[in-house]
Amino acid sequence: MDLSGKRVAILGAGRSGRAAANLARCYGGEVTVYDAGPAEVFLGMRESIRCHPLATEETGKGCNADIVIISPGIETGGGFARSFYEDAGEFIGETEFASRYYNGLVIGITGTNGKTTTTELVQRMIEAGGKSCEACGNYGRPLSDVVIEEDQPDAVSLELSSFQLETVRTFRPDVAVWLNFSPDHMDRYRSVEEYRGAKQRIFENQQESDTAVIRYGEEVGEVTANRITFSATDSRADYALSEATVIYQEDRILDLGATRLRGLHNAENVMAALAAVRAVNVQVEAAAEVFSEYAPPLHRCELIRILDGVEYINDSKATNLHALEAALVSQARPSILIAGGKEKGLDYTPLLPVLEKRVNKVVAFGEIGPRLADVFAPVVETVVAATLGDAVQLARDASTRGGTVLFSPGTSSFDMFSGYEERGDAFRSIVLALK
């Protein structure tokens, strides 16, 4: 798509915005990047790209761009974005924009939880099968960074958030993976159904020759592509679990006991990844070594240390209820749970049955800490800590040999940290400093 003579407005000067700006400039666009931040946020931007710091809604009203490309961190329905797209020729996201310049295989992966693990597994298995593949999107580099390269990879394993899927128009993955769904980002969406609708757009442009890999029993709306299902809890799925073995239509495919992946949530990530790569003719045999060597990502049920017979597990990436529940269910030892963070307006009462069954004590912290204590107190002893350091110490005091201290916040980190990574790193440092 030639952009010569086209005025391209990029909203946001972060990673996605910069990548989209470079790609648009490469194809001849007259590119301006708009950001509400000061001039410092544009440091390192290419000289051929115009920069507009301290942008406001008034700035957007006078933009009149042919194409507006929005970064996923900016709310599409907010006043700032609307001021730019009301008079624009086209309004799309960075993923949609980049996909128009890529002709290789696209495996798109969405879900409330498990996206990163599945994205990594798909990428590694495709490479083990002899094709080049880049893991990108919401994971790693933006897609625009990948497609601008002279030698594009044969395939992309593309992690997709609801924010990226909101703005797709023609984007069509060869394989679309739907891992799971639970309420999240209620500080951005007006309803659970609006959030679900954004994610369902991953299937919107698929055709009968494409593949949709879907967790068995999930409500995803109408799907045109060939549907393949998976489940760690329902034997009716195409990919199912028998003890620790993944089975495809009664054929034994993979022994999870020979891998470092544990828990039902990881079993489903493995099944989804296997289904995705087999749909593009990568054989399981070529991927066997990948599973034997693969370690789960940092901050996702990551064992930090064993101290005085107690396991300390970092699950900082659990930023919603579904991830927290999955972490709790996967624990075989008595647990002390550390949970809390930003108030996102979520309903935590569905967790009460699993808390009552699996948790000895909860230590709540952060902005939502007092509310969590009120919600959880009827079924489990709960205390509130002022800081993460205090929370770890309280959890240690309550733990006993043979148990687990599980750090699985169940909400985002932005009340106290820049992201779940910084939060998880802080937990790791605190735990490693314990004497």
Side-chain angles (χ1 to χ4, degrees), residues 15-17 19-20 22 72 94-95 98 119 133-153 155-160 164:
R15 286 191 311 162
S16 292
N22 289 336
E94 181 268 329
T95 298
T119 299
C133 183
E134 181 87 18
C136 55
N138 198 50
Y139 168 98
R141 297 193 296 161
L143 182 59
S144 293
D145 261 354
V146 176
V147 304
I148 203 173
E149 295 176 346
E150 184 175 345
D151 295 320
Q152 293 186 356
V156 291
S157 180
L158 186 62
E159 180 178 322
L160 294 164
Q164 291 164 312

Side-chain angles (χ1 to χ4, degrees), residues 269-320:
N269 295 337
V270 167
M271 286 187 267
L274 281 168
V277 299
R278 293 180 89 194
V280 294
N281 299 316
V282 173
Q283 300 304 309
V284 174
E285 292 75 16
E289 188 175 341
V290 169
F291 286 105
S292 66
E293 296 179 349
Y294 180 79
L298 297 177
H299 314 298
R300 190 68 182 102
C301 287
E302 171 196 7
L303 177 64
I304 301 299
R305 70 183 295 192
I306 300 175
L307 177 64
D308 298 330
V310 177
E311 292 184 348
Y312 288 78
I313 293 178
N314 170 25
D315 193 41
S316 182
K317 201 172 188 295
T319 59
N320 54 64

